[in-house]
Amino acid sequence: MMNELETLYTLRPQLVQLPKIHDPRGNLTFVQSGKEVPFAIRRAYWIYDVPAGEERGGHSHREMAQLLVAVGGSFNVNISDGHNWRTYTLNRPFEGLFIPPGIWRTLDNFSSGAVCLSLVSNDYTEDDYIRDYEKFRAEAISRKPRI
Ligand code: T46
């Protein structure tokens, strides 16, 4: 039987449509652990005030799963499983990109005023990061393609 981390390593990155409560007073969207995301949400952070042309990310995580949401503006998320690359444009506050562990990501092309909300499964620890692409690829290439 697979443990939780092994299960996350079988999952593919994918867009997740989040609940949207239409309301004349303004719309509302929410995320629930174990429902819209297949992990318990442990931490949240958000990236904002990104100068034009700047890039964020540039690493993979060993154990952390996450959901990225453009709660304002837009940006691109470029992901790699060591075999293939794919780019997603996030620009809807009711749509998230689920990224399981073992996937490289860079974020770029931030619009003015963009806010990237990240809901993640783990506490922050630098030990969870692989920040060298070749090192990541050497490990990831032995796993099955997920992109
Ligand atoms: C990711 C992308 C999308 C903390 O102290 N606590 C935290 O929870 C986080 C996320 C960061 N930090 C510190 C660590 C660094 O000194 O904030 C600094 C910047 O973090 P980092 O260089 O990792 O930022 P990005 O944009 O490369 O990556 C971040 C997340 O770390 C990462 O998980 O997927 O955003």
Side-chain angles (χ1 to χ4, degrees):
M1 179 142 157
M2 278 191 280
N3 65 31
E4 205 173 312
L5 183 59
E6 287 167 339
T7 301
L8 285 171
Y9 266 87
T10 67
L11 302 180
R12 294 167 176 269
Q14 57 189 280
L15 287 174
V16 179
Q17 300 306 312
L18 302 171
K20 181 177 180 183
I21 311 296
H22 295 267
D23 191 314
R25 299 170 301 164
N27 299 327
L28 182 152
T29 284
F30 57 89
V31 181
Q32 303 160 100
S33 296
K35 290 198 174 170
E36 290 79 22
V37 290
F39 59 86
I41 297 167
R42 170 87 186 170
R43 178 166 55 102
Y45 59 85
W46 44 101
I47 295 172
Y48 52 96
D49 289 348
V50 179
E54 279 296 342
E55 189 177 281
R56 300 296 307 224
H59 54 252
S60 74
H61 287 278
R62 294 189 182 282
E63 298 197 0
M64 195 191 87
Q66 71 189 136
L67 186 80
L68 297 175
V69 183
V71 290
S74 67
F75 52 86
N76 288 348
V77 187
N78 313 290
I79 57 171
S80 170
D81 59 2
H83 300 269
N84 303 304
W85 283 91
R86 181 160 177 183
T87 297
Y88 290 88
T89 299
L90 297 186
N91 55 12
R92 298 185 176 107
F94 51 87
E95 185 176 83
L97 178 62
F98 166 67
I99 306 180
I103 299 291
W104 188 269
R105 90 292 316 268
T106 61
L107 282 63
D108 60 16
N109 203 23
F110 284 83
S111 70
S112 168
V115 181
C116 170
L117 172 66
S118 182
L119 305 173
V120 309
S121 59
N122 295 20
D123 288 338
Y124 174 78
T125 168
E126 188 56 32
D127 293 344
D128 196 57
Y129 288 70
I130 303 176
R131 294 188 184 271
D132 180 294
Y133 184 75
E134 286 312 317
K135 186 176 174 202
F136 159 75
R137 194 164 171 275
E139 288 184 22
I141 205 75
S142 63
R143 296 192 287 265
K144 283 186 186 163
R146 286 187 286 165
I147 293 176

